[in-house]
Tab-separated table of all heavy atoms in Angstrom:
chain	number	residue	atom	x	y	z
A	7	PRO	N	-3.958	5.254	-16.216
A	7	PRO	CA	-3.411	4.023	-15.643
A	7	PRO	C	-2.124	4.244	-14.881
A	7	PRO	O	-1.773	5.385	-14.626
A	7	PRO	CB	-3.186	3.159	-16.923
A	7	PRO	CG	-2.888	4.166	-17.989
A	7	PRO	CD	-3.760	5.352	-17.678
A	25	GLU	N	-4.001	-0.823	-0.981
A	25	GLU	CA	-3.811	-1.172	-2.402
A	25	GLU	C	-4.277	-0.002	-3.260
A	25	GLU	O	-5.312	0.600	-2.992
A	25	GLU	CB	-4.659	-2.415	-2.707
A	25	GLU	CG	-4.367	-3.060	-4.026
A	25	GLU	CD	-5.373	-4.140	-4.339
A	25	GLU	OE1	-5.892	-4.779	-3.415
A	25	GLU	OE2	-5.648	-4.293	-5.541
A	36	LEU	N	-13.982	8.131	-9.173
A	36	LEU	CA	-14.916	8.627	-8.172
A	36	LEU	C	-16.127	7.691	-8.029
A	36	LEU	O	-16.602	7.458	-6.922
A	36	LEU	CB	-15.376	10.048	-8.526
A	36	LEU	CG	-14.292	11.125	-8.542
A	36	LEU	CD1	-14.882	12.490	-8.853
A	36	LEU	CD2	-13.498	11.189	-7.232
A	50	PRO	N	-6.746	14.746	-9.871
A	50	PRO	CA	-6.148	16.085	-10.048
A	50	PRO	C	-7.243	17.139	-10.021
A	50	PRO	O	-8.338	16.893	-10.519
A	50	PRO	CB	-5.509	16.013	-11.426
A	50	PRO	CG	-6.281	14.997	-12.163
A	50	PRO	CD	-6.820	14.015	-11.148
A	59	VAL	N	-9.157	21.308	-13.595
A	59	VAL	CA	-9.383	20.083	-14.344
A	59	VAL	C	-10.898	19.867	-14.416
A	59	VAL	O	-11.529	19.434	-13.449
A	59	VAL	CB	-8.660	18.876	-13.644
A	59	VAL	CG1	-8.878	17.599	-14.448
A	59	VAL	CG2	-7.186	19.181	-13.418
A	69	GLY	N	-23.739	13.371	-8.937
A	69	GLY	CA	-23.718	12.118	-8.203
A	69	GLY	C	-23.640	12.339	-6.722
A	69	GLY	O	-23.639	13.471	-6.215
A	71	PRO	N	-22.571	12.888	-2.903
A	71	PRO	CA	-21.501	13.755	-2.414
A	71	PRO	C	-20.221	12.996	-2.029
A	71	PRO	O	-20.305	11.874	-1.506
A	71	PRO	CB	-22.103	14.412	-1.157
A	71	PRO	CG	-23.552	14.195	-1.241
A	71	PRO	CD	-23.786	12.958	-2.080
A	95	VAL	N	9.257	10.914	-35.370
A	95	VAL	CA	8.030	11.162	-34.562
A	95	VAL	C	7.014	11.933	-35.418
A	95	VAL	O	7.199	13.108	-35.720
A	95	VAL	CB	8.399	11.967	-33.284
A	95	VAL	CG1	7.119	12.338	-32.511
A	95	VAL	CG2	9.314	11.158	-32.393
A	100	SER	N	-0.787	13.046	-25.483
A	100	SER	CA	-0.791	13.235	-24.010
A	100	SER	C	-2.157	13.754	-23.571
A	100	SER	O	-3.046	14.041	-24.396
A	100	SER	CB	0.300	14.181	-23.563
A	100	SER	OG	0.442	14.067	-22.160
A	101	HIS	N	-2.306	13.900	-22.267
A	101	HIS	CA	-3.475	14.533	-21.651
A	101	HIS	C	-3.504	16.003	-22.100
A	101	HIS	O	-2.441	16.655	-22.184
A	101	HIS	CB	-3.315	14.432	-20.127
A	101	HIS	CG	-4.507	14.896	-19.352
A	101	HIS	ND1	-4.762	16.226	-19.071
A	101	HIS	CD2	-5.506	14.197	-18.800
A	101	HIS	CE1	-5.863	16.316	-18.383
A	101	HIS	NE2	-6.345	15.099	-18.211
A	107	GLN	N	0.964	22.410	-21.503
A	107	GLN	CA	2.141	22.860	-20.748
A	107	GLN	C	3.447	22.693	-21.515
A	107	GLN	O	4.505	23.049	-21.010
A	107	GLN	CB	2.212	22.085	-19.425
A	107	GLN	CG	1.072	22.460	-18.490
A	107	GLN	CD	1.106	21.610	-17.226
A	107	GLN	OE1	1.975	21.757	-16.380
A	107	GLN	NE2	0.188	20.700	-17.094
A	129	ALA	N	-1.797	7.028	-20.255
A	129	ALA	CA	-2.505	6.368	-21.367
A	129	ALA	C	-1.757	6.639	-22.674
A	129	ALA	O	-1.735	5.785	-23.558
A	129	ALA	CB	-3.935	6.886	-21.439
A	131	ALA	N	1.539	7.014	-22.958
A	131	ALA	CA	2.704	6.131	-22.963
A	131	ALA	C	2.275	4.694	-23.348
A	131	ALA	O	2.945	4.033	-24.145
A	131	ALA	CB	3.373	6.146	-21.583
A	147	VAL	N	7.943	9.101	-14.196
A	147	VAL	CA	7.802	7.768	-13.642
A	147	VAL	C	7.206	6.793	-14.666
A	147	VAL	O	7.330	5.556	-14.462
A	147	VAL	CB	6.967	7.692	-12.353
A	147	VAL	CG1	7.626	8.372	-11.199
A	147	VAL	CG2	5.566	8.220	-12.585
A	159	THR	N	13.937	14.944	-21.313
A	159	THR	CA	13.479	15.042	-19.927
A	159	THR	C	13.313	16.495	-19.560
A	159	THR	O	13.813	17.386	-20.279
A	159	THR	CB	14.499	14.393	-18.930
A	159	THR	OG1	15.752	15.038	-19.160
A	159	THR	CG2	14.629	12.924	-19.106
A	176	PRO	N	-16.467	9.376	0.740
A	176	PRO	CA	-17.838	9.712	1.111
A	176	PRO	C	-17.813	10.477	2.445
A	176	PRO	O	-16.903	10.316	3.251
A	176	PRO	CB	-18.511	8.337	1.283
A	176	PRO	CG	-17.674	7.401	0.482
A	176	PRO	CD	-16.287	7.922	0.562
A	183	PRO	N	-8.917	20.352	12.406
A	183	PRO	CA	-8.331	21.608	11.920
A	183	PRO	C	-6.871	21.739	12.340
A	183	PRO	O	-6.473	21.269	13.409
A	183	PRO	CB	-9.174	22.690	12.636
A	183	PRO	CG	-9.867	21.987	13.751
A	183	PRO	CD	-9.937	20.532	13.427
A	201	ALA	N	-25.858	38.453	-7.442
A	201	ALA	CA	-25.918	37.166	-6.730
A	201	ALA	C	-24.502	36.648	-6.374
A	201	ALA	O	-24.260	36.245	-5.244
A	201	ALA	CB	-26.659	36.113	-7.609
A	210	ALA	N	-15.749	37.927	2.507
A	210	ALA	CA	-14.937	39.135	2.787
A	210	ALA	C	-15.306	39.757	4.133
A	210	ALA	O	-14.437	40.126	4.918
A	210	ALA	CB	-15.120	40.153	1.663
A	227	ARG	N	-29.693	25.200	-18.325
A	227	ARG	CA	-29.946	26.380	-19.135
A	227	ARG	C	-28.673	27.059	-19.547
A	227	ARG	O	-27.718	27.143	-18.734
A	227	ARG	CB	-30.809	27.370	-18.328
A	227	ARG	CG	-32.280	27.209	-18.627
A	227	ARG	CD	-33.123	28.367	-18.116
A	227	ARG	NE	-32.735	28.882	-16.811
A	227	ARG	CZ	-32.428	30.163	-16.609
A	227	ARG	NH1	-32.433	31.007	-17.595
A	227	ARG	NH2	-32.143	30.557	-15.390
A	243	GLU	N	-14.202	26.202	12.416
A	243	GLU	CA	-13.961	27.570	12.917
A	243	GLU	C	-15.277	28.337	12.851
A	243	GLU	O	-15.979	28.266	11.851
A	243	GLU	CB	-12.927	28.296	12.048
A	243	GLU	CG	-11.524	27.786	12.226
A	243	GLU	CD	-10.601	28.358	11.149
A	243	GLU	OE1	-10.789	29.518	10.741
A	243	GLU	OE2	-9.716	27.625	10.706
A	245	ARG	N	-16.163	31.462	12.311
A	245	ARG	CA	-16.495	32.376	11.175
A	245	ARG	C	-16.655	31.599	9.871
A	245	ARG	O	-17.411	32.032	8.986
A	245	ARG	CB	-15.431	33.443	11.041
A	245	ARG	CG	-14.117	32.830	10.630
A	245	ARG	CD	-13.064	33.844	10.596
A	245	ARG	NE	-11.807	33.163	10.540
A	245	ARG	CZ	-10.770	33.602	9.909
A	245	ARG	NH1	-10.838	34.730	9.275
A	245	ARG	NH2	-9.659	32.918	9.916
A	248	ASP	N	-20.038	30.077	9.992
A	248	ASP	CA	-20.990	31.187	9.787
A	248	ASP	C	-21.088	31.560	8.323
A	248	ASP	O	-22.194	31.761	7.784
A	248	ASP	CB	-20.343	32.374	10.507
A	248	ASP	CG	-21.307	33.071	11.394
A	248	ASP	OD1	-22.044	32.351	12.072
A	248	ASP	OD2	-21.332	34.328	11.341
A	250	LEU	N	-20.364	29.615	5.783
A	250	LEU	CA	-20.978	28.496	5.072
A	250	LEU	C	-22.496	28.576	5.182
A	250	LEU	O	-23.234	28.341	4.227
A	250	LEU	CB	-20.491	27.174	5.606
A	250	LEU	CG	-19.325	26.531	4.916
A	250	LEU	CD1	-19.091	25.133	5.507
A	250	LEU	CD2	-19.621	26.406	3.433
A	261	ARG	N	-23.013	22.719	-2.038
A	261	ARG	CA	-22.444	21.423	-1.678
A	261	ARG	C	-21.104	21.642	-1.017
A	261	ARG	O	-20.252	22.325	-1.551
A	261	ARG	CB	-22.310	20.560	-2.920
A	261	ARG	CG	-21.816	19.166	-2.585
A	261	ARG	CD	-21.744	18.260	-3.798
A	261	ARG	NE	-22.992	17.583	-4.052
A	261	ARG	CZ	-23.100	16.450	-4.785
A	261	ARG	NH1	-22.012	15.925	-5.321
A	261	ARG	NH2	-24.273	15.873	-4.958
Side-chain angles (χ1 to χ4, degrees):
E25 193 189 329
L36 297 182
V59 181
V95 175
S100 194
H101 187 278
Q107 293 176 70
V147 293
T159 55
R227 264 194 320 124
E243 289 169 34
R245 66 185 165 146
D248 229 43
L250 266 186
R261 184 177 271 202

